Amino acid sequence: MITVLILTPVGLPVLGALTYLVVGWRPVTALIATGTAAGELAAAVGIAAVVGASGPQVALSGLVRVDALSAFMLLVIGAVGLLATATTPSHLTTEIRAGRASSRTAARHSLLAQAFLAAMTAAVLAADLGVLWIAIEATTIITAFLVGQRRTREAVEAAWKYVVICSTGIALALLGALLLNYAAQHTPTKPGLDLVGLLGAAHSLDPAVTRIAVALLVIGFGCKAGLAPLHAWLPDAHSQAPAPVSALMSGVLLAVAFYAILRVKLVSDAVLGAGFVRALLVVMALASLALAASLLIAQRDYKRMLAYSSVEHLGLIAIGAAVGSPVAMAAVLLHVLGHGLAKGVLFLGLGRLSQTAGTSRIEQIRGVAARQPVLAGCLGFGVLALIGLPPFSIFASELGIARAGFSAGLGWAIAAALLLAAIAGAALVIHMSRMLLGAPAEGPGTATAAPRLPGMTAAVLLAGLALSAALGVSAGPLTDLLHSAAAIATGTP
């Protein structure tokens, strides 16, 4: 029974993908993806309850393993996945009516999106670093077709750029995994790439080989997480992908890639001490924050604006992971969930705005509040949630990361990170306020009678904001899971 529960989060989207492959996309199948995402979230809640009561669980002869950390990531995938899939039917219907897509396009989109969710879920359930690598590589192949879905010159170019850069990063991670496996084969227990086995054999791993392997793994998986220096794919891919896919990529894919870094960090800390990965993460985090802040100031495209904001927030997450204490890691995990919810709301909301306005240029969008007040309100509060204003959860997570960082002696890095985050946040507020407020300008996006926001989309955006605010006030039933996941991520007994 436990095996069925553990495999459900992967099995449901696989069944959904097969359904779209056989039946196609039509009104009767449009909500299947939403149903599978809801089932995946329900299964994640059940898995979290079982893990909290009975500890880590294994399935398929140890190939699949779930502990508090992977259970928390399943909740993130389920929550953001439900937001994205619930708005997908109205998004695709609008695209079909506008002549930018067909039923065949919608079927292909739905199939690939379901496969995308299945691959990310498989990554966090993998008990073996090799299987984890395969699952993350699968996300690259799947999402490349989603990024290039519109088949415009810009979309195809973004898809190829995504494939080339991420393939480079994932190749570095593969080389790192091979080196780590080589080191593992020269230990008495020969654990291979089993994550638990590697921790058990940490005292026998060759430090020199492990150091090179860990550097390659962190940089390689950091590429998929959107961290500098291999971040360049992210703005183009996010700006060209359909809005629900952008929400999944920013809110979930980056987090899953960083989850892989956390697993590698555990092994590295046991073999090399905390200082090695800490130095790597601090450098990558500050570089990412500096790059995002500088490019957000002069940004002219609101989709790319959100993409650079993702680079910024992954930088904050990396700083928290570099601190490495249980308090910092709990804040990091809360930030992962809060960022996923806020970024999901914004990508989905701005995706709707792009459909009605016909442009993604910031200077061509004015007076949204006067024409679409519900959408404008969701976008406004979404930006406030993203920059970390109370009561939203990112405020609590950033405060937790800052307090833990100063306590750990990384005050200089935390101060620099907060300054850069403040610059990025100010740029976001300025750009969004220009679009939402004021009188409509002449040109694209200024229609006086904009289509009404679909009821399901409005409900999803409001639900995402409400959940983010609730988590900022109290983590509630997630508190114990957060602490357990943080303990695992830091190797605390």
Side-chain angles (χ1 to χ4, degrees), residues 14-15 36 105 119 129 154 237-238 260-261 295 318 333 338 354 357 361 406:
V14 169
L15 289 175
T36 61
T105 305
L129 184 61
E154 293 80 5
H238 281 27
I261 294 177
L295 292 177
L333 295 175
S354 177
R361 302 291 294 177
F406 281 110

Side-chain angles (χ1 to χ4, degrees), residues 320-469:
V323 174
S325 67
V327 173
M329 204 60 72
V332 162
L333 295 175
L334 181 61
H335 198 101
V336 165
L337 179 55
H339 172 256
L341 293 172
K343 197 57 67 64
V345 167
L346 286 170
F347 264 118
L348 296 171
L350 287 176
R352 176 63 183 178
L353 180 62
S354 177
Q355 287 183 320
T356 59
T359 180
S360 61
R361 302 291 294 177
I362 293 174
E363 70 272 12
Q364 294 178 348
I365 304 291
R366 293 291 184 271
V368 178
R371 295 179 285 108
Q372 302 185 73
V374 176
L375 178 58
C378 291
L379 292 174
F381 280 109
V383 166
L384 296 182
L386 193 61
I387 66 173
L389 260 63
F392 296 104
S393 63
I394 289 180
F395 170 78
S397 60
E398 288 183 347
L399 181 61
I401 291 171
R403 292 178 60 185
F406 281 110
S407 299
L410 283 177
W412 65 273
I414 294 295
L418 292 179
L419 175 61
L420 292 169
I423 295 172
L428 282 171
V429 170
I430 292 171
H431 292 320
M432 188 62 74
S433 63
R434 287 174 177 169
M435 291 193 296
L436 301 184
L437 305 177
E442 297 296 328
T446 60
T448 57
R452 179 178 298 180
L453 186 67
M456 178 62 79
T457 301
V460 166
L461 300 184
L462 292 171
L465 291 171
L467 182 54
S468 178

